[in-house]
Amino acid sequence: MDPTSIGLAGVGLLLAVIFLFRIPVGFAMGILGLGGYALILNTNAARAMLGTVVWDTFSSYGLTVIPLFIFMGQICFYSGVNERLYKTAYVWMGQIRGGMAMATVLACGGFAAICGSNTATAATMSSVALPEMKKYGYSPVLSTGAVAAGSTLGVVIPPSVVLIIYGLQVGESIGKLFWGGMLPGLLLILLFLGTVRMLCLRHADWGPAGPRTTLGEKIRSLPGSLEMLLLFGLVMGGLFAGFFSPTEVGAAGSALALLLATVTGKMTWKKLILALSDTIRISCMILVIMMGAVIFAKFLTIARLPSEMASMVASLAVPSWTVILLICLIYAVGGMVMDALALLLVTIPIFQPVVQAMGYDMIWFGVLITVVTTMGAITPPVGVNTFIVASMAGNIPMRHVFAGVSYFLACYALVVALLMALPQLALWLPSMM
Amino acid sequence: MPTTFSTRLDALAETLAKALAILAGIFLIATMLLACANMILRAVHEPLPGTVELVGFFGAMLTAFSLGLAQRRRSHIFVGLLTPKLPRPIRRGADALQFLVSCAFFALAGIETARWGMDLIRSGELSSTLRLAYHPFVFAASLGCMAMAFVLFVDFLNTLPGHARTEEH
Amino acid sequence: DNSSADSDAANQSEPIRLTYANFPPAFTVPCVQMERWKTEVEKRSNGQVLVETFPGGTLLKAKNMLRGVVEGQADIGCVGMSYLPGVFPACSAVELPLGFESSRSSSRTLWALFDKYRPEELQDVKVLTMFATPPSNIMSREPIRGLADLQGKEMRGSGSSSRFLDAMGAVSVSMPMPEVPDALQKNMVQGIFTSLEVLQDMKFAEFCPSATIVDGPVYLFAVVMNKDRWDALPPATQQMLDELAPDQADWTGQYWDAHTAEAMEWARAEHGLQVFALSEEDRATASAQAADMFTDWTQAASKAGLPAEDILQDVRAWKQQFEQ
Ligand code: NA
Ligand code: NA
C-alpha cells in the first residue's frame, strides 16, 4: 500500500475503533497514529516520535495555560460565584424560554474576548454553565450544545490562537486578522441566540421558562453578579493595560478568583482540594487528547494525506469560488479527524499561493478558514470541544452532546456562505484600522 | 488467592495515582504562583528570566503526574456510540483488549520518553533561557507514563472474570 | 518504507525520494533556501533525486530536528543550532558577538569552521550545508539612538542574542513568537532583537518604526541528513550533494542579505522606518560588557576537548577575510 492509502485506511480504522470501543479518543488516536507512522516509515522512527511528542505536548507553553483557565473556572464553581451569577441571570432572562442558554452563549462571547483558545473556553464555560443550567431544568441536549458551540467563539472573537498561527504562517498582520474575526464572531453569537430560541419554541421542555420578575426584583438581584463582573473587569483591564498577556490570563484569573473567594470567605481547604483535583483530571484529559491528535496528525502528514488532497484541489481547473468551497470542505472534513492547528500548518503553505493567485484577500481567507476549522472542533467524531463539554457534563451520553451540537452547525454554514457572498464582513473593520 | 492479590494491586494503583496527583496539584499551584510573580515583577521591576520555559516544564509535570488519577476516575472521554449494540461478552473482551493495548502504549511512551532523556544527557542540551540541564523533568514525565501503564494494567486485570472492579457504564 | 527506498537508490531508473523537514513557517528564509536546494538537487540530478519538503514544523520541530533525522523521522532536516544550547560547543563560536555585518560572511565563516574542524557534535549525521542569519539588530517602538536609550528597556530576544541584550543594558524577555505582536502593541516589550527581515516577513514594522544597527549575534543553521540514507546514495549523487554544499551556504547568505535590504526598503516606504546605528564608542562599550560570553564559550569548548583558542582565532580571521 502506498502511504496515502495507509493514511486513508488509518482514518477509517480510527472512526471504527472510537465508535465501537469504549477506548478514550486520545489513546485511540495515539495508538493508531503510532502504528501507521511505523508502517510508513519504520519502528525506530515511530518510537523516537512517540518519545518527543509526549514531552512536546505536555510541556508546550501554549497548552500548559489550559489547566490554569480550568482552575479559574473550578474556583468560581466551588466558591459559588457561578451560582450567584446565574441566579441574577435567571431573574433577568429566566422568564424567556431558553433564556439561561442564551445567557450562556453571551457569557461565552464575553469570555472569548479574554481567551484565545477554544479548548480553554470550552473547559471554563462548561464548569461555569453546565451545572447551573441543569439546576434550572434545562435539557442536557440544549445546554451542552450551547456551551460547545459558544466555546468555539474563543478563536473567532479576538484574541485567537488560530488567527495568530495563521498570521505568522502567511505573514499577514495579526492585528488586522483580529479585527477581521470580530464581525463574523458577533454574527455567530446572534445566530446561536436565534438557534436557542428556535429550539425552545419547538421543544418547550428543553429550556423551561421561569417565573416573571418585577423590575425591583431584577435590580435587587444585581449584586449577585458583582463578583464575576469584578473578576472579568480585572482580567479584561489587566489584559488591555498590558499587565499580562492572553496566555497569562489563566494564571492571573485563577489567582484573582482565589483571592476574591478567600476574601469573601467562600473558599475552604476542602473546596480548594476539590477544585485542584477536578482541574488536574480535566486538563489531563484534554492534554492526552491533544497528544493523540498530534501523533495522528504526524501520521497523516507522513502519509501525505492532507498535502495530496490540498494539491489535488489546488490543481483543479474549476472556477475560483469552487476552489474556495472545496478548501472549506477539506477543512471541515479534516477538522472531523485532525486537530485544526496541525491541519492548518500542513495545508496553508499549499493553499496560500493558490488563493493569492486567484486574487483573494488573505485576511478574508484567514477569517473564513478560522470559522470553518473551529466548526471542526465540535463536529463528530473527533471534536475536542465536544469531548471537553461532554466530559464536564458528567453522565450524559455522548450522542446527546453531539445531537445538541448538530443544531448549531447550520449557523457556521450560514456565516461561511455570508463570508463568501460578502467579503466585507471580514474586511470592513480591518480596512478602518 | 487471585482476588486478594488483585484487590491489593488495585489498592496500590489507587495509592500511586493519588500520590502522583498530589504532586500534580502542587505543580499547578506553583505554575500559577510563578506566572503571577513574573507579572508583578515585570510591572514593578523586571520580569523573571525563564518563566516561559519553567511554566512549560511545570505544565508537563502537572499532566504526567495526573495521568493515573484521570484514568482511575474515568475522566478520559470516549465515544463508543455503537458499544451498547455489541453482545456483552464481546464488550468485555473489547474492554480487556483496550486496556491492554493502552497499557502497552503508555509503557512504550514511558520508555521512549526516558530514552529521549538519556539522549539529552548525552548531547548536553540545555534549556533555552536558563540553560538548565532539564532532563530530570523528562525522566519525571516518563515516570508518569509508567505509572499510567501500571494503572491501565490493573484495569485490565479487573476486566478478567472474578476480579475486584468490573467495568459497566 | 526505508528498505524499498534503499533499493530505489541502487536502481537508477526509479528516482530517489528524500523527505526534508524544516521548522519555521514556509515563507521564512530557511524554508526559501530549502526550496532552492530542492530545485537545485532535482535539476543537477536530472530528476533522479526528488525532494519532498515539510515546512512549518509539521514533520519535526526545532527542538527535535537533529534527533529526528538521526532516528529516521525525516531523511533531511534543517537544524536551528541556536535552539539547542549546549549541543554544539564548536560551531557556537560563530554565535558569539563578533560583529558580523552580513549573512554571507557569517554563513561562510560557519561553513569554514565546520569544514576545517569537522567537530564531533555533528558526527551522527551527514552535513549537507550550513548557513547563518544576518546580525541581530534592534527594532523598537521608540527610536534608540545609543546605548543610553536602551538602558532598562524590555526587549524580546532568545539564545545568545538575549545575553547580548543584557550586556548592552537592556532587559531581555523570552516569549513565544506568536505573542510578540500583541506584546509590542501593549508595550509589554519595547522592541525585539533579531535579524531585520522580520520587519516585513512578520510585519513587525507595523509596531517597530525604528531600527538600530548594532551587529549583534547571529543564529546558526545546519542542514543534516540521516547517515544510513546518505550511505545508501549512489557515489555520483553524494559527490553532487557535496559540491552543492558550499555553494548553497553562499547562496543562502547572499539571498538573506538581499532580502533584508528589501525588507528595510519596504518598511521605510510602508511604515516610515527610521534607522540608527550605534556609535563606535557604544559598540566598544557593548563589546566590553559582553566579554564574559567569550570566556564562557572558551570554558565550555575547552571542557568539550576542543582547541578553543585556535577556533576563535580562525573564526575572527575568516570573518575579516569574508567581509572584505
Ligand atoms: Na478569543
Ligand atoms: Na471535528
Side-chain angles (χ1 to χ4, degrees):
Chain A
M1 268 208 292
D2 67 294
T4 315
S5 311
I6 298 178
L8 277 172
V11 171
L13 196 60
L14 174 70
L15 298 186
V17 165
I18 62 178
F19 274 114
L20 279 173
F21 299 136
R22 291 184 291 205
I23 184 167
V25 185
F27 299 10
M29 285 195 286
I31 293 165
L32 291 174
L34 183 71
Y37 195 96
L39 202 58
I40 293 174
L41 286 177
N42 54 62
T43 41
N44 229 355
R47 289 173 51 187
M49 182 271 288
L50 178 63
T52 42
V53 165
V54 170
W55 174 259
D56 278 359
T57 315
F58 288 3
S59 70
S60 147
Y61 181 70
L63 294 177
T64 51
V65 302
I66 288 177
L68 291 163
F69 275 105
I70 298 169
F71 193 38
M72 172 168 71
Q74 293 297 326
I75 296 168
C76 289
F77 171 72
Y78 280 106
S79 62
V81 171
N82 305 336
E83 190 184 355
R84 290 185 287 279
L85 175 73
Y86 270 76
K87 260 191 194 140
T88 308
Y90 195 63
V91 173
W92 281 78
M93 298 178 72
Q95 64 263 49
I96 312 168
R97 265 194 227 159
M100 303 308 279
M102 293 182 187
T104 300
V105 168
L106 290 174
C108 284
F111 190 75
I114 56 169
C115 175
S117 127
N118 53 15
T119 33
T121 310
T124 315
M125 289 311 298
S126 301
S127 58
V128 169
L130 289 179
E132 300 305 322
M133 280 194 277
K134 189 176 172 190
K135 222 179 278 172
Y136 293 107
Y138 275 55
S139 150
V141 176
L142 177 64
S143 63
T144 54
V147 174
S151 65
T152 62
L153 293 168
V155 293
V156 183
I157 291 177
S160 155
V161 284
V162 174
L163 286 172
I164 289 174
I165 299 287
Y166 174 85
L168 289 179
Q169 282 282 307
V170 304
E172 282 292 345
S173 153
I174 288 160
K176 285 189 175 173
L177 282 165
F178 276 5
W179 282 110
M182 195 72 95
L183 285 182
L186 294 177
L187 190 60
L188 275 176
I189 295 185
L190 284 179
L191 290 170
F192 291 160
L193 292 177
T195 307
V196 171
R197 178 86 191 127
M198 281 198 338
L199 285 176
C200 291
L201 285 178
R202 276 183 37 202
H203 310 271
D205 55 325
W206 280 14
R212 292 198 164 277
T213 52
T214 63
L215 186 63
E217 281 173 307
K218 285 193 171 84
I219 289 167
R220 275 194 300 279
S221 78
L222 279 179
S225 65
L226 266 184
E227 290 155 296
M228 188 58 102
L229 287 179
L230 182 66
L231 185 62
F232 186 77
L234 284 173
V235 169
M236 197 79 164
L239 192 60
F240 277 89
F243 187 70
F244 41 77
S245 71
T247 51
E248 290 170 333
V249 164
S254 298
L256 286 169
L258 202 53
L259 200 67
L260 204 65
T262 314
V263 168
T264 53
K266 305 265 166 50
M267 195 39 107
T268 61
W269 282 109
K270 200 177 159 212
K271 286 177 179 171
L272 178 65
I273 286 166
L274 284 173
L276 277 168
S277 152
D278 283 0
T279 304
I280 62 169
R281 280 190 304 104
I282 298 160
S283 42
C284 179
M285 184 268 296
I286 296 174
L287 267 295
V288 168
I289 291 181
M290 291 297 181
M291 178 194 75
V294 170
I295 294 176
F296 202 72
K298 295 244 176 217
F299 157 55
L300 292 184
T301 305
I302 202 86
R304 305 185 180 91
L305 197 59
S307 51
E308 288 285 326
M309 281 176 74
S311 314
M312 201 182 73
V313 167
S315 66
L316 287 178
V318 289
S320 54
W321 65 268
T322 320
V323 175
I324 296 286
L325 214 57
L326 283 171
I327 291 176
C328 287
L329 199 67
I330 285 190
Y331 282 122
V333 174
M336 288 182 183
V337 292
M338 203 172 165
D339 176 50
L341 283 182
L343 188 61
L344 285 177
L345 285 171
V346 180
T347 49
I348 284 178
I350 300 168
F351 285 142
Q352 185 183 8
V354 180
V355 174
Q356 266 169 340
M358 294 189 308
Y360 286 104
D361 189 289
M362 290 311 280
I363 303 257
W364 170 81
F365 184 65
V367 173
L368 181 76
I369 61 173
T370 300
V371 173
V372 176
T373 51
T374 191
M375 182 177 74
I378 58 169
T379 53
V382 180
V384 174
N385 276 30
T386 314
F387 294 156
I388 295 168
V389 175
S391 77
M392 312 271 286
N395 43 13
I396 294 169
M398 191 62 128
R399 63 197 148 80
H400 285 186
V401 185
F402 276 135
V405 160
S406 63
Y407 294 110
F408 292 85
L409 292 180
C411 305
Y412 291 93
L414 197 58
V415 170
V416 169
L418 274 173
L419 272 170
M420 289 189 63
L422 204 72
Q424 286 306 312
L425 198 56
L427 295 176
W428 182 61
L429 281 181
S431 71
M432 309 284 287
M433 295 307 130
Chain B
M1 302 287 283
T3 312
T4 339
F5 180 63
S6 78
T7 315
R8 273 197 199 140
L9 270 186
D10 198 70
L12 183 61
E14 179 70 16
T15 312
L16 182 66
K18 272 188 180 160
L20 290 180
I22 291 172
L23 285 177
I26 292 171
F27 274 106
L28 175 63
I29 297 279
T31 312
M32 181 188 82
L33 292 178
L34 176 67
C36 290
N38 183 46
M39 290 170 220
I40 293 167
L41 285 173
R42 182 172 57 211
V44 301
H45 180 51
E46 54 186 56
L48 279 173
T51 305
V52 169
E53 62 190 42
L54 282 180
V55 165
F57 296 156
F58 288 9
M61 298 302 90
L62 196 170
T63 305
F65 288 151
S66 46
L67 282 168
L69 187 77
Q71 176 61 24
R72 296 285 300 177
R73 301 288 177 272
R74 297 294 178 266
S75 302
H76 294 291
I77 195 87
F78 57 84
V79 179
L81 291 179
L82 301 177
T83 317
K85 300 203 165 43
L86 297 175
R88 188 176 276 262
I90 293 189
R91 243 186 292 169
R92 202 178 169 113
D95 276 348
L97 181 69
Q98 183 258 108
F99 285 128
L100 202 59
V101 174
S102 302
C103 165
F105 175 76
F106 278 96
L108 187 62
I111 293 168
E112 289 308 318
T113 306
R115 208 162 63 93
W116 182 55
M118 298 300 290
D119 271 8
L120 282 180
I121 296 180
R122 199 175 54 85
S123 73
E125 187 185 321
L126 305 172
S127 69
S128 319
T129 311
L130 296 175
R131 300 181 73 86
L132 283 178
Y134 64 98
H135 56 264
F137 288 110
V138 178
F139 288 125
S142 157
L143 178 76
C145 292
M146 296 309 278
M148 173 69 164
F150 175 65
V151 167
L152 282 161
F153 185 68
V154 173
D155 281 337
F156 161 71
L157 289 182
N158 287 337
T159 57
L160 300 178
H163 284 79
R165 288 167 25 143
T166 39
E167 207 75 12
E168 211 45 74
H169 293 267
Chain C
D1 172 54
N2 250 358
S3 58
S4 75
D6 289 350
S7 57
D8 285 352
N11 176 1
Q12 279 299 290
S13 60
E14 275 288 300
I16 302 160
R17 292 174 188 279
L18 299 173
T19 55
Y20 188 153
N22 214 334
F23 63 93
F27 64 86
T28 58
V29 181
C31 289
V32 173
Q33 73 79 34
M34 167 170 79
E35 295 301 330
R36 189 263 178 183
W37 190 85
K38 166 192 158 88
T39 314
E40 206 56 33
V41 166
E42 290 178 352
K43 194 175 78 192
R44 292 188 189 191
S45 69
N46 293 319
Q48 282 305 300
V49 180
L50 298 178
V51 183
E52 191 174 7
T53 57
F54 293 85
T58 49
L59 214 50
L60 288 167
K61 291 190 166 43
K63 276 277 183 191
N64 32 57
M65 188 64 73
L66 182 63
R67 184 171 188 261
V69 171
V70 172
E71 301 278 355
Q73 287 177 257
D75 299 328
I76 301 169
C78 177
V79 177
M81 302 170 88
S82 313
Y83 292 82
L84 302 170
V87 178
F88 304 103
C91 291
S92 54
V94 185
E95 259 182 350
L96 290 167
L98 294 153
F100 282 106
E101 288 164 19
S102 67
S103 168
R104 189 161 186 225
S105 62
S106 59
S107 298
R108 291 180 74 184
T109 303
L110 178 60
W111 181 254
L113 185 156
F114 170 75
D115 205 30
K116 176 167 175 187
Y117 290 94
R118 298 279 157 175
E120 206 186 308
E121 62 211 37
L122 284 160
Q123 67 173 4
D124 291 344
V125 286
K126 164 70 191 176
V127 177
L128 294 177
T129 190
M130 295 178 113
F131 57 91
T133 65
S136 296
N137 288 308
I138 296 169
M139 286 154 268
S140 53
R141 291 164 47 101
E142 304 290 336
I144 290 176
R145 296 182 171 80
L147 285 189
D149 291 345
L150 192 61
Q151 300 312 300
K153 288 262 180 357
E154 284 156 340
M155 297 272 156
R156 194 262 179 186
S158 65
S160 55
S161 81
S162 287
R163 285 195 72 187
F164 193 65
L165 271 176
D166 292 329
M168 289 190 296
V171 177
S172 67
V173 178
S174 64
M175 82 173 42
M177 206 40 134
E179 293 199 2
V180 175
D182 190 58
L184 279 169
Q185 196 166 24
K186 292 179 183 152
N187 203 17
M188 290 172 83
V189 290
Q190 286 85 57
I192 51 174
F193 189 51
T194 185
S195 53
L196 291 171
E197 84 282 354
V198 298
L199 282 171
Q200 182 177 17
D201 285 0
M202 305 237 174
K203 302 282 182 286
F204 282 153
E206 227 175 276
F207 313 104
C208 298
S210 165
T212 309
I213 307 298
V214 301
D215 290 338
V218 301
Y219 297 88
L220 315 179
F221 295 83
V223 178
V224 302
M225 184 168 176
N226 179 287
K227 267 251 166 92
D228 294 337
R229 295 288 279 144
W230 169 261
D231 292 338
L233 291 177
T237 309
Q238 290 182 341
Q239 197 193 341
M240 181 267 289
L241 293 178
D242 273 335
E243 281 166 12
L244 181 56
D247 172 42
Q248 178 73 15
D250 200 44
W251 183 90
T252 308
Q254 289 193 48
Y255 175 83
W256 211 322
D257 292 334
H259 182 64
T260 306
E262 266 173 39
M264 289 179 73
E265 211 35 67
W266 174 87
R268 259 190 213 106
E270 296 287 316
H271 297 278
L273 178 80
Q274 279 185 293
V275 183
F276 306 93
L278 282 195
S279 65
E280 282 306 318
E281 204 187 335
D282 275 350
R283 277 177 183 254
T285 314
S287 285
Q289 288 169 354
D292 59 338
M293 291 176 74
F294 286 86
T295 329
D296 289 354
W297 178 84
T298 311
Q299 235 167 37
S302 309
K303 217 176 112 194
L306 292 163
E309 290 304 331
D310 296 349
I311 294 179
L312 214 48
Q313 211 170 2
D314 278 337
V315 166
R316 285 185 207 267
W318 284 319
K319 173 183 175 286
Q320 203 156 33
Q321 179 194 337
F322 296 139
E323 274 178 358
Q324 265 163 18

